[in-house]
Amino acid sequence: MEEGRQWVADTFYGEDGDTVRTLRLRKGWSQARLAEALATSQPHIARIERGRENLTIETCRKLTRALEIDLNTLDQALKRQEAIAQARQK
């Protein structure tokens, strides 16, 4: 299943660049698995990935640990997914 998620990240979301979704999928994780790592819910992860959640610094720290990235990479991923979300609303 992990390989399938990695394939989806590259095939369907590759042109999006790094977003929380693509970073998660490249790890081969489901939203539920990431939620478990953050001690939160799957719907919360879905809102984060859609750019509809204002994150606390603690949530950002948890994301960086779980996804094995630094805060700068997370910041860029969040900005990118926000831009994607805004473009889809137009």
Side-chain angles (χ1 to χ4, degrees):
M1 196 64 124
E2 289 181 11
E3 288 179 18
R5 288 187 181 102
Q6 293 164 349
W7 179 83
V8 167
D10 294 333
T11 304
F12 293 103
Y13 301 111
E15 66 186 41
D16 289 351
D18 286 343
T19 63
V20 173
R21 175 187 296 148
T22 58
L23 293 167
R24 170 184 60 79
L25 289 170
R26 285 188 192 124
K27 276 188 78 75
W29 285 9
S30 66
Q31 287 182 342
R33 173 66 184 92
L34 182 56
E36 182 181 309
L38 271 61
T40 190
S41 66
Q42 179 275 325
H44 184 221
I45 299 301
R47 288 190 306 273
I48 291 170
E49 290 185 358
R50 285 193 307 269
R52 295 191 176 162
E53 192 74 16
N54 288 322
L55 302 179
T56 65
I57 190 67
E58 184 58 30
T59 300
C60 290
R61 288 181 182 134
K62 288 179 182 180
L63 277 167
T64 60
R65 284 191 298 268
L67 297 173
E68 299 178 27
I69 58 174
D70 60 37
L71 279 170
N72 288 327
T73 301
L74 178 62
D75 182 50
Q76 292 301 312
L78 292 169
K79 287 177 183 175
R80 191 167 290 115
Q81 73 188 33
E82 182 180 318
I84 292 167
Q86 288 177 354
R88 289 184 178 152
Q89 289 178 346
K90 292 180 180 181

Coordinates of all heavy atoms in Angstrom, one line a residue:
M1 N 0.8 -1.2 0.0 CA 0.0 0.0 0.0 C 0.9 1.3 0.0 O 0.5 2.3 -0.6 CB -0.9 0.0 1.2 CG -2.0 0.9 1.1 SD -3.2 0.6 -0.2 CE -4.7 0.5 0.6
E2 N 2.0 1.2 0.7 CA 2.9 2.4 0.8 C 3.4 2.7 -0.6 O 3.4 3.9 -0.9 CB 4.0 2.1 1.7 CG 3.6 2.1 3.2 CD 4.8 1.8 4.1 OE1 5.9 1.9 3.7 OE2 4.5 1.6 5.3
E3 N 3.8 1.7 -1.4 CA 4.3 2.0 -2.7 C 3.2 2.6 -3.6 O 3.5 3.5 -4.4 CB 4.8 0.7 -3.4 CG 6.1 0.2 -2.8 CD 6.6 -1.1 -3.4 OE1 6.1 -1.4 -4.5 OE2 7.4 -1.7 -2.8
G4 N 2.0 2.2 -3.4 CA 0.9 2.8 -4.1 C 0.7 4.2 -3.8 O 0.4 5.1 -4.7
R5 N 0.8 4.6 -2.6 CA 0.7 6.0 -2.2 C 1.8 6.8 -2.7 O 1.6 8.0 -3.2 CB 0.6 6.1 -0.7 CG -0.7 5.6 -0.1 CD -0.8 5.9 1.4 NE -2.0 5.4 1.9 CZ -2.1 4.3 2.6 NH1 -1.1 3.6 2.9 NH2 -3.3 3.9 3.1
Q6 N 3.0 6.3 -2.8 CA 4.1 7.0 -3.3 C 3.9 7.2 -4.8 O 4.2 8.3 -5.4 CB 5.4 6.2 -3.1 CG 5.8 6.1 -1.6 CD 6.8 5.1 -1.3 OE1 7.1 4.2 -2.1 NE2 7.3 5.1 -0.1
W7 N 3.4 6.2 -5.5 CA 3.1 6.3 -6.9 C 2.0 7.4 -7.2 O 2.2 8.2 -8.1 CB 2.6 5.0 -7.5 CG 2.2 5.0 -8.9 CD1 3.0 4.9 -10.0 CD2 0.9 5.2 -9.5 NE1 2.3 5.0 -11.2 CE2 1.0 5.2 -10.9 CE3 -0.4 5.3 -8.9 CZ2 -0.1 5.3 -11.7 CZ3 -1.5 5.5 -9.7 CH2 -1.3 5.4 -11.1
V8 N 1.0 7.5 -6.3 CA 0.0 8.5 -6.4 C 0.6 9.9 -6.3 O 0.2 10.8 -7.0 CB -1.2 8.2 -5.4 CG1 -2.1 9.4 -5.3 CG2 -2.0 7.0 -5.8
A9 N 1.5 10.0 -5.3 CA 2.1 11.3 -5.1 C 2.8 11.8 -6.3 O 2.6 13.0 -6.7 CB 3.1 11.2 -3.9
D10 N 3.5 10.9 -6.9 CA 4.3 11.4 -8.1 C 3.5 11.5 -9.4 O 3.6 12.4 -10.2 CB 5.5 10.4 -8.4 CG 6.5 10.4 -7.3 OD1 6.6 11.5 -6.6 OD2 7.2 9.4 -7.0
T11 N 2.5 10.6 -9.5 CA 1.7 10.5 -10.7 C 0.6 11.6 -10.8 O 0.4 12.3 -11.8 CB 1.0 9.2 -10.9 OG1 2.1 8.2 -10.9 CG2 0.2 9.1 -12.2
F12 N -0.1 11.7 -9.7 CA -1.3 12.7 -9.7 C -1.0 14.0 -9.1 O -1.6 15.0 -9.4 CB -2.5 12.0 -8.9 CG -3.0 10.8 -9.7 CD1 -2.7 9.6 -9.2 CD2 -3.8 11.0 -10.8 CE1 -3.3 8.5 -9.9 CE2 -4.3 9.9 -11.5 CZ -4.0 8.7 -11.0
Y13 N 0.0 14.1 -8.2 CA 0.3 15.4 -7.5 C 1.7 15.9 -7.7 O 2.1 16.8 -7.1 CB 0.0 15.2 -6.0 CG -1.4 14.8 -5.7 CD1 -1.7 13.5 -5.2 CD2 -2.5 15.7 -5.9 CE1 -3.0 13.1 -4.9 CE2 -3.8 15.3 -5.6 CZ -4.0 14.0 -5.1 OH -5.3 13.6 -4.8
G14 N 2.4 15.2 -8.6 CA 3.8 15.6 -8.8 C 4.0 17.0 -9.3 O 4.9 17.7 -8.8
E15 N 3.1 17.6 -10.1 CA 3.2 18.9 -10.5 C 2.9 20.0 -9.5 O 3.2 21.1 -9.6 CB 2.4 19.2 -11.8 CG 0.9 19.1 -11.6 CD 0.1 19.2 -12.9 OE1 0.6 18.6 -13.9 OE2 -0.9 19.9 -12.9
D16 N 2.2 19.5 -8.4 CA 1.9 20.4 -7.3 C 3.2 20.8 -6.5 O 3.2 21.8 -5.8 CB 0.9 19.8 -6.3 CG -0.5 19.7 -6.9 OD1 -0.7 20.2 -7.9 OD2 -1.3 19.0 -6.2
G17 N 4.2 20.0 -6.6 CA 5.4 20.2 -5.8 C 5.2 19.7 -4.4 O 4.3 18.9 -4.2
D18 N 6.0 20.1 -3.5 CA 5.9 19.6 -2.1 C 4.7 20.3 -1.4 O 4.7 21.6 -1.2 CB 7.1 19.9 -1.3 CG 8.2 18.9 -1.7 OD1 7.9 17.9 -2.3 OD2 9.4 19.2 -1.4
T19 N 3.7 19.6 -1.0 CA 2.6 20.0 -0.1 C 2.6 19.0 1.0 O 3.3 18.0 0.9 CB 1.3 20.0 -0.9 OG1 1.0 18.7 -1.3 CG2 1.3 21.0 -2.1
V20 N 1.8 19.3 2.0 CA 1.7 18.3 3.1 C 1.2 17.0 2.5 O 1.7 15.9 2.9 CB 0.7 18.8 4.2 CG1 0.5 17.7 5.3 CG2 1.4 20.1 4.9
R21 N 0.2 17.0 1.6 CA -0.3 15.8 1.0 C 0.8 15.0 0.3 O 1.0 13.8 0.5 CB -1.4 16.1 0.0 CG -1.9 14.9 -0.8 CD -2.8 15.2 -1.9 NE -4.0 15.8 -1.4 CZ -4.8 16.7 -2.0 NH1 -4.5 17.1 -3.2 NH2 -5.9 17.1 -1.4
T22 N 1.6 15.7 -0.6 CA 2.6 14.9 -1.3 C 3.7 14.4 -0.4 O 4.2 13.3 -0.6 CB 3.2 15.8 -2.5 OG1 3.8 17.0 -1.9 CG2 2.2 16.1 -3.5
L23 N 4.1 15.2 0.6 CA 5.1 14.7 1.6 C 4.6 13.5 2.3 O 5.3 12.6 2.5 CB 5.4 15.9 2.5 CG 6.2 17.1 1.9 CD1 6.2 18.2 2.9 CD2 7.6 16.7 1.5
R24 N 3.3 13.5 2.7 CA 2.7 12.4 3.4 C 2.7 11.2 2.5 O 3.1 10.1 2.8 CB 1.3 12.7 3.8 CG 0.5 11.5 4.4 CD -0.9 11.9 4.7 NE -1.7 12.4 3.7 CZ -2.3 11.7 2.7 NH1 -2.1 10.4 2.7 NH2 -3.1 12.3 1.8
L25 N 2.2 11.4 1.2 CA 2.1 10.3 0.3 C 3.4 9.7 -0.1 O 3.6 8.5 -0.2 CB 1.4 10.7 -1.0 CG -0.1 11.0 -0.8 CD1 -0.7 11.6 -2.1 CD2 -0.9 9.7 -0.5
R26 N 4.5 10.5 -0.2 CA 5.8 10.0 -0.5 C 6.3 9.1 0.6 O 7.2 8.3 0.4 CB 6.8 11.1 -0.8 CG 6.5 11.7 -2.1 CD 7.6 12.7 -2.5 NE 7.1 13.5 -3.7 CZ 7.0 14.8 -3.8 NH1 7.3 15.5 -2.8 NH2 6.6 15.4 -4.9
K27 N 5.9 9.4 1.9 CA 6.2 8.5 3.0 C 5.4 7.2 2.9 O 5.7 6.2 3.6 CB 6.0 9.2 4.3 CG 7.1 10.1 4.8 CD 6.8 10.5 6.2 CE 7.2 9.6 7.3 NZ 8.6 9.3 7.5
G28 N 4.4 7.2 2.1 CA 3.5 6.0 2.0 C 2.5 5.9 3.1 O 1.9 4.9 3.3
W29 N 2.2 7.1 3.7 CA 1.3 7.1 4.8 C -0.1 7.6 4.3 O -0.3 8.4 3.4 CB 1.7 8.1 5.8 CG 2.9 7.6 6.7 CD1 3.6 6.5 6.5 CD2 3.4 8.3 7.8 NE1 4.6 6.4 7.4 CE2 4.5 7.5 8.3 CE3 3.1 9.4 8.5 CZ2 5.2 7.8 9.4 CZ3 3.8 9.8 9.6 CH2 4.9 9.0 10.1
S30 N -1.1 7.1 5.0 CA -2.5 7.5 4.8 C -2.7 8.7 5.7 O -1.9 9.0 6.6 CB -3.5 6.4 5.2 OG -3.4 6.2 6.6
Q31 N -3.8 9.4 5.5 CA -4.2 10.5 6.4 C -4.3 10.0 7.8 O -3.9 10.7 8.8 CB -5.4 11.2 6.0 CG -5.3 12.1 4.7 CD -6.5 12.8 4.3 OE1 -7.6 12.5 4.8 NE2 -6.4 13.8 3.5
A32 N -4.9 8.8 8.0 CA -5.1 8.2 9.3 C -3.8 8.0 10.0 O -3.7 8.2 11.2 CB -6.0 7.0 9.2
R33 N -2.8 7.5 9.3 CA -1.5 7.2 9.8 C -0.8 8.5 10.3 O -0.2 8.6 11.4 CB -0.6 6.5 8.8 CG 0.8 6.3 9.2 CD 0.9 5.3 10.4 NE 2.3 5.2 10.9 CZ 2.8 6.0 11.9 NH1 2.1 6.9 12.4 NH2 4.1 5.8 12.2
L34 N -0.9 9.6 9.5 CA -0.3 10.8 9.9 C -1.1 11.4 11.1 O -0.5 11.9 12.0 CB -0.4 11.8 8.7 CG 0.3 13.2 9.0 CD1 1.7 13.1 9.5 CD2 0.2 14.1 7.8
A35 N -2.4 11.3 11.1 CA -3.2 11.7 12.3 C -2.8 11.0 13.5 O -2.6 11.6 14.6 CB -4.7 11.5 12.0
E36 N -2.5 9.7 13.4 CA -2.1 8.9 14.6 C -0.7 9.5 15.1 O -0.5 9.6 16.3 CB -1.9 7.5 14.2 CG -1.5 6.5 15.3 CD -1.4 5.1 14.7 OE1 -2.3 4.6 14.1 OE2 -0.3 4.5 15.0
A37 N 0.2 9.8 14.2 CA 1.5 10.3 14.5 C 1.4 11.6 15.2 O 2.3 12.0 16.0 CB 2.4 10.4 13.3
L38 N 0.4 12.4 14.8 CA 0.2 13.8 15.4 C -0.7 13.8 16.6 O -1.0 14.8 17.2 CB -0.3 14.7 14.3 CG 0.7 15.5 13.5 CD1 1.6 14.5 12.7 CD2 0.1 16.5 12.6
A39 N -1.3 12.6 16.9 CA -2.3 12.5 18.0 C -3.5 13.4 17.7 O -3.9 14.2 18.6 CB -1.7 12.8 19.4
T40 N -4.0 13.3 16.5 CA -5.1 14.1 16.1 C -6.1 13.3 15.3 O -5.9 12.0 15.3 CB -4.7 15.4 15.3 OG1 -5.8 16.3 15.1 CG2 -4.0 15.1 14.0
S41 N -7.0 13.9 14.6 CA -8.0 13.1 13.8 C -7.7 13.2 12.3 O -7.0 14.1 11.8 CB -9.4 13.6 14.1 OG -9.5 14.9 13.5
Q42 N -8.2 12.2 11.6 CA -8.0 12.2 10.1 C -8.7 13.4 9.5 O -8.1 14.0 8.6 CB -8.6 10.9 9.5 CG -8.5 10.8 8.0 CD -9.7 11.4 7.3 OE1 -10.8 11.4 7.8 NE2 -9.5 12.0 6.2
P43 N -9.9 13.8 9.9 CA -10.5 15.0 9.4 C -9.6 16.3 9.6 O -9.6 17.2 8.7 CB -11.9 15.2 10.1 CG -12.2 13.8 10.5 CD -10.9 13.1 10.8
H44 N -8.9 16.3 10.7 CA -8.0 17.5 10.9 C -6.9 17.5 9.9 O -6.6 18.5 9.3 CB -7.4 17.4 12.3 CG -6.6 18.5 12.7 ND1 -5.4 18.4 13.4 CD2 -6.7 19.9 12.5 CE1 -4.8 19.6 13.6 NE2 -5.6 20.5 13.0
I45 N -6.3 16.3 9.6 CA -5.3 16.2 8.5 C -5.9 16.6 7.2 O -5.2 17.3 6.4 CB -4.7 14.8 8.5 CG1 -4.1 14.4 9.8 CG2 -3.8 14.6 7.3 CD1 -3.0 15.3 10.3
A46 N -7.1 16.2 6.9 CA -7.7 16.6 5.6 C -7.9 18.1 5.5 O -7.6 18.7 4.4 CB -9.1 15.9 5.5
R47 N -8.3 18.7 6.6 CA -8.4 20.2 6.6 C -7.0 20.9 6.4 O -6.9 21.9 5.6 CB -9.0 20.7 7.9 CG -10.5 20.4 7.9 CD -11.2 21.1 9.1 NE -10.6 20.9 10.4 CZ -10.9 19.9 11.2 NH1 -11.8 19.0 10.8 NH2 -10.3 19.8 12.4
I48 N -6.0 20.3 7.0 CA -4.6 20.8 6.8 C -4.2 20.7 5.4 O -3.7 21.7 4.8 CB -3.6 20.1 7.7 CG1 -3.8 20.4 9.2 CG2 -2.2 20.4 7.3 CD1 -3.1 19.5 10.2
E49 N -4.5 19.6 4.8 CA -4.1 19.3 3.4 C -4.9 20.2 2.4 O -4.4 20.5 1.3 CB -4.2 17.9 3.0 CG -3.2 17.0 3.7 CD -3.2 15.6 3.3 OE1 -4.1 15.1 2.5 OE2 -2.3 14.8 3.8
R50 N -6.1 20.6 2.7 CA -6.8 21.5 1.9 C -6.5 22.9 2.1 O -7.1 23.8 1.4 CB -8.3 21.2 2.1 CG -8.9 19.9 1.5 CD -10.4 19.9 1.5 NE -11.0 20.1 2.8 CZ -11.3 19.2 3.7 NH1 -11.0 17.9 3.4 NH2 -11.9 19.5 4.8
G51 N -5.7 23.2 3.1 CA -5.3 24.6 3.4 C -6.4 25.3 4.1 O -6.5 26.6 4.1
R52 N -7.2 24.6 4.9 CA -8.3 25.2 5.6 C -8.1 25.2 7.1 O -9.1 25.3 7.8 CB -9.6 24.5 5.3 CG -10.0 24.6 3.8 CD -11.4 24.1 3.5 NE -11.7 24.4 2.1 CZ -12.6 23.8 1.5 NH1 -13.4 22.9 2.1 NH2 -12.9 24.1 0.2
E53 N -6.9 25.1 7.5 CA -6.7 25.0 8.9 C -5.5 25.9 9.3 O -4.4 25.9 8.6 CB -6.3 23.6 9.3 CG -6.3 23.2 10.7 CD -7.7 23.1 11.4 OE1 -8.7 23.0 10.7 OE2 -7.7 23.2 12.6
N54 N -5.7 26.8 10.3 CA -4.6 27.6 10.8 C -3.9 26.7 11.8 O -4.4 26.3 12.8 CB -5.1 28.9 11.5 CG -5.6 29.8 10.4 OD1 -5.0 30.0 9.4 ND2 -6.7 30.5 10.8
L55 N -2.6 26.5 11.6 CA -1.8 25.6 12.4 C -1.1 26.3 13.6 O -0.6 27.4 13.4 CB -0.8 24.9 11.6 CG -1.3 24.1 10.4 CD1 -0.1 23.5 9.6 CD2 -2.3 23.0 10.8
T56 N -1.1 25.7 14.7 CA -0.3 26.1 15.8 C 1.1 25.7 15.6 O 1.4 24.8 14.8 CB -0.8 25.5 17.2 OG1 -0.6 24.1 17.1 CG2 -2.3 25.8 17.4
I57 N 2.0 26.4 16.3 CA 3.4 26.0 16.2 C 3.6 24.6 16.7 O 4.5 23.9 16.1 CB 4.3 27.1 16.9 CG1 5.8 26.8 16.6 CG2 4.1 27.0 18.4 CD1 6.2 27.1 15.2
E58 N 2.9 24.2 17.6 CA 3.0 22.8 18.1 C 2.6 21.8 17.0 O 3.3 20.8 16.8 CB 2.2 22.6 19.4 CG 2.4 21.2 20.0 CD 3.8 20.8 20.3 OE1 4.6 21.7 20.7 OE2 4.2 19.6 20.3
T59 N 1.6 22.1 16.3 CA 1.2 21.2 15.2 C 2.2 21.2 14.1 O 2.6 20.1 13.6 CB -0.2 21.6 14.6 OG1 -1.2 21.5 15.7 CG2 -0.6 20.7 13.5
C60 N 2.8 22.3 13.8 CA 3.9 22.4 12.9 C 5.1 21.6 13.3 O 5.7 20.9 12.5 CB 4.3 23.9 12.7 SG 3.1 24.9 11.8
R61 N 5.4 21.6 14.6 CA 6.5 20.8 15.1 C 6.2 19.4 14.9 O 7.1 18.6 14.5 CB 6.8 21.2 16.5 CG 7.5 22.5 16.7 CD 7.8 22.8 18.1 NE 8.3 24.1 18.3 CZ 8.0 25.1 19.2 NH1 7.0 24.8 20.0 NH2 8.6 26.2 19.2
K62 N 5.0 19.0 15.2 CA 4.6 17.6 15.1 C 4.7 17.1 13.6 O 5.2 16.0 13.3 CB 3.2 17.3 15.6 CG 3.1 17.4 17.2 CD 1.7 17.2 17.6 CE 1.5 17.3 19.1 NZ 0.1 17.1 19.5
L63 N 4.2 18.0 12.7 CA 4.3 17.6 11.3 C 5.7 17.5 10.8 O 6.1 16.5 10.1 CB 3.6 18.7 10.5 CG 2.1 18.6 10.4 CD1 1.6 19.9 9.8 CD2 1.7 17.5 9.5
T64 N 6.6 18.4 11.3 CA 8.0 18.2 10.8 C 8.7 17.0 11.3 O 9.4 16.3 10.6 CB 8.9 19.5 11.3 OG1 8.9 19.6 12.7 CG2 8.4 20.7 10.6
R65 N 8.3 16.6 12.6 CA 8.9 15.3 13.1 C 8.3 14.1 12.4 O 9.1 13.2 12.0 CB 8.6 15.2 14.6 CG 9.5 16.1 15.5 CD 9.4 15.7 16.9 NE 8.0 16.0 17.5 CZ 7.6 17.1 18.0 NH1 8.4 18.1 18.1 NH2 6.4 17.2 18.5
A66 N 7.0 14.1 12.2 CA 6.4 13.0 11.5 C 6.8 12.8 10.1 O 7.1 11.7 9.6 CB 4.9 13.1 11.6
L67 N 6.9 13.9 9.3 CA 7.3 13.9 7.9 C 8.8 13.9 7.7 O 9.2 13.9 6.5 CB 6.6 15.1 7.2 CG 5.0 15.0 7.2 CD1 4.5 16.3 6.6 CD2 4.5 13.8 6.5
E68 N 9.5 14.1 8.8 CA 11.0 14.2 8.7 C 11.5 15.3 7.8 O 12.3 15.1 6.9 CB 11.6 12.8 8.3 CG 11.2 11.7 9.3 CD 11.7 10.3 8.8 OE1 12.7 10.3 8.1 OE2 11.1 9.3 9.2
I69 N 11.0 16.5 8.0 CA 11.3 17.7 7.3 C 11.6 18.8 8.3 O 11.3 18.7 9.5 CB 10.2 18.1 6.3 CG1 8.9 18.4 7.1 CG2 10.0 17.0 5.2 CD1 7.8 18.9 6.2
D70 N 12.2 19.9 7.8 CA 12.4 21.0 8.6 C 11.3 22.0 8.5 O 10.4 21.9 7.6 CB 13.8 21.7 8.4 CG 13.9 22.2 6.9 OD1 13.0 22.7 6.4 OD2 15.0 22.1 6.4
L71 N 11.3 23.0 9.4 CA 10.2 24.0 9.4 C 10.2 24.8 8.1 O 9.1 25.2 7.7 CB 10.4 24.9 10.6 CG 9.8 24.4 11.9 CD1 10.2 25.3 13.1 CD2 8.3 24.2 11.9
N72 N 11.3 25.1 7.5 CA 11.3 25.8 6.3 C 10.6 25.1 5.2 O 9.8 25.6 4.4 CB 12.8 26.2 5.8 CG 13.4 27.3 6.7 OD1 12.7 28.1 7.2 ND2 14.7 27.2 6.9
T73 N 10.9 23.8 5.1 CA 10.2 22.9 4.1 C 8.7 22.9 4.3 O 7.9 23.0 3.4 CB 10.8 21.5 4.1 OG1 12.2 21.6 3.9 CG2 10.1 20.6 3.1
L74 N 8.3 22.8 5.6 CA 6.9 22.8 5.9 C 6.3 24.1 5.6 O 5.2 24.1 5.0 CB 6.7 22.5 7.4 CG 5.2 22.5 7.9 CD1 4.4 21.5 7.2 CD2 5.1 22.4 9.4
D75 N 6.9 25.2 5.8 CA 6.4 26.5 5.5 C 6.2 26.6 4.0 O 5.1 27.1 3.5 CB 7.4 27.6 6.0 CG 6.8 29.0 5.7 OD1 5.7 29.3 6.0 OD2 7.6 29.8 5.1
Q76 N 7.1 26.2 3.2 CA 7.0 26.2 1.7 C 5.9 25.3 1.3 O 5.1 25.7 0.4 CB 8.3 25.8 1.1 CG 9.4 26.9 1.3 CD 9.0 28.2 0.7 OE1 8.5 28.4 -0.4 NE2 9.3 29.2 1.5
A77 N 5.7 24.2 1.9 CA 4.7 23.2 1.5 C 3.3 23.8 1.8 O 2.3 23.7 1.0 CB 4.8 21.9 2.2
L78 N 3.2 24.5 3.0 CA 1.9 25.1 3.4 C 1.6 26.3 2.4 O 0.4 26.4 2.0 CB 1.9 25.6 4.8 CG 2.0 24.5 5.9 CD1 2.3 25.1 7.2 CD2 0.7 23.7 5.9
K79 N 2.6 27.1 2.1 CA 2.3 28.2 1.1 C 1.9 27.6 -0.2 O 1.0 28.2 -0.9 CB 3.6 29.0 1.0 CG 3.9 29.9 2.2 CD 5.2 30.7 2.0 CE 5.5 31.5 3.2 NZ 6.8 32.1 3.1
R80 N 2.5 26.6 -0.7 CA 2.2 26.0 -2.0 C 0.8 25.5 -2.0 O 0.0 25.7 -2.9 CB 3.2 24.9 -2.3 CG 3.1 24.4 -3.8 CD 4.3 23.6 -4.2 NE 5.5 24.4 -4.3 CZ 6.6 24.2 -3.5 NH1 6.6 23.3 -2.5 NH2 7.6 25.0 -3.6
Q81 N 0.4 24.8 -0.9 CA -0.9 24.2 -1.0 C -2.0 25.3 -0.8 O -3.1 25.2 -1.3 CB -1.1 23.1 0.1 CG -1.1 23.5 1.5 CD -1.1 22.3 2.4 OE1 -0.5 21.3 2.1 NE2 -1.8 22.4 3.5
E82 N -1.7 26.4 -0.1 CA -2.6 27.5 0.0 C -2.8 28.1 -1.4 O -3.9 28.5 -1.8 CB -2.0 28.6 0.9 CG -2.9 29.8 1.1 CD -2.3 30.8 2.1 OE1 -1.8 30.4 3.1 OE2 -2.4 32.0 1.8
A83 N -1.7 28.3 -2.2 CA -1.8 28.8 -3.5 C -2.7 27.9 -4.4 O -3.5 28.4 -5.2 CB -0.4 29.0 -4.1
I84 N -2.5 26.6 -4.3 CA -3.2 25.7 -5.1 C -4.7 25.8 -4.7 O -5.6 25.8 -5.6 CB -2.7 24.2 -4.8 CG1 -1.3 24.1 -5.5 CG2 -3.7 23.2 -5.4 CD1 -0.6 22.8 -5.1
A85 N -5.0 25.8 -3.4 CA -6.4 25.9 -3.0 C -7.1 27.2 -3.5 O -8.2 27.2 -3.9 CB -6.5 25.9 -1.4
Q86 N -6.3 28.3 -3.5 CA -6.9 29.6 -4.0 C -7.1 29.5 -5.5 O -8.1 30.0 -6.0 CB -5.9 30.7 -3.6 CG -6.0 31.1 -2.2 CD -5.0 32.2 -1.8 OE1 -4.2 32.6 -2.7 NE2 -5.0 32.7 -0.6
A87 N -6.2 28.9 -6.2 CA -6.4 28.7 -7.7 C -7.6 27.9 -8.0 O -8.3 28.2 -9.0 CB -5.1 28.1 -8.3
R88 N -7.9 26.9 -7.2 CA -9.0 26.0 -7.5 C -10.3 26.7 -7.2 O -11.4 26.3 -7.7 CB -8.9 24.7 -6.7 CG -7.8 23.8 -7.2 CD -7.7 22.5 -6.5 NE -6.6 21.7 -7.1 CZ -5.9 20.8 -6.5 NH1 -6.2 20.6 -5.2 NH2 -5.0 20.2 -7.1
Q89 N -10.3 27.7 -6.3 CA -11.5 28.4 -5.9 C -12.0 29.4 -7.1 O -13.1 29.8 -7.1 CB -11.4 29.2 -4.6 CG -11.3 28.3 -3.4 CD -11.1 29.1 -2.2 OE1 -10.7 30.3 -2.2 NE2 -11.3 28.5 -1.0
K90 N -11.1 29.7 -7.9 CA -11.3 30.7 -9.0 C -12.1 30.1 -10.1 O -12.2 29.0 -10.4 CB -10.1 31.4 -9.5 CG -9.4 32.2 -8.4 CD -8.2 32.9 -8.9 CE -7.6 33.8 -7.8 NZ -6.4 34.4 -8.3

